[in-house]
Amino acid sequence: MSDKQVEIIEAVKLPVGIKIDGTRHTDVELHPITIGQSYEASMTARATDLQALVDLAVMTYVPKLGRHLTYDEAANASRQDGQRLEMARLALEKKEREQATASA
């Protein structure tokens, strides 16, 4: 078996879309993050920022913008979009575990 890992991405179609600069973005991708990326994001977070949302913003990539969401963009997402992102995060983490198990 090869040690090469396949990039894990969970494509998401948001029901409402996250509004950024007047445009609603409904197509996003979730990417796994490392503990280092999580800590790095925490270091730049405000004291009032929620860690789970900090991580979700770092995980959520908007292909049309070529970047990940900011904390405030993620925080301003609709509840419907938040639920869809949370379901995608769980699916992504399951894929990550399965890949780790398969390559063990």
Side-chain angles (χ1 to χ4, degrees), residues 22-34:
T23 302
R24 287 206 178 271
H25 296 275
T26 57
D27 294 314
V28 300
E29 299 172 350
L30 264 67
H31 298 224
I33 61 171
T34 64

Side-chain angles (χ1 to χ4, degrees), residues 2 10 23 37 39 47 54-55 58-60 65 68 81 88 90 95 101:
S2 171
E10 187 69 23
T23 302
Q37 290 169 312
Y39 280 127
V54 168
D55 287 347
V58 173
M59 294 174 81
T60 306
L65 296 176
H68 295 268
D81 288 345
L90 293 171
K95 286 180 182 179
T101 301

Side-chain angles (χ1 to χ4, degrees), residues 8-99:
I8 303 169
I9 296 172
E10 187 69 23
V12 182
K13 180 79 164 180
L14 301 175
V16 176
I18 298 171
K19 193 171 185 179
I20 302 170
D21 296 329
T23 302
R24 287 206 178 271
H25 296 275
T26 57
D27 294 314
V28 300
E29 299 172 350
L30 264 67
H31 298 224
I33 61 171
T34 64
I35 194 166
Q37 290 169 312
S38 179
Y39 280 127
E40 186 177 326
S42 297
M43 297 303 291
T44 60
R46 297 169 293 224
T48 57
D49 290 351
L50 301 170
Q51 185 60 47
L53 194 51
V54 168
D55 287 347
L56 189 60
V58 173
M59 294 174 81
T60 306
Y61 181 78
V62 183
K64 286 188 177 181
L65 296 176
R67 65 172 176 83
H68 295 268
L69 293 178
T70 66
Y71 178 89
D72 290 329
E73 290 165 346
N76 287 323
S78 76
R79 180 84 176 138
Q80 292 176 65
D81 288 345
Q83 290 171 339
R84 186 70 50 92
L85 288 169
E86 182 61 17
M87 290 176 2
R89 182 190 65 77
L90 293 171
L92 178 78
E93 290 174 353
K94 181 180 179 196
K95 286 180 182 179
E96 190 175 24
R97 281 191 306 275
E98 288 170 351
Q99 185 178 83

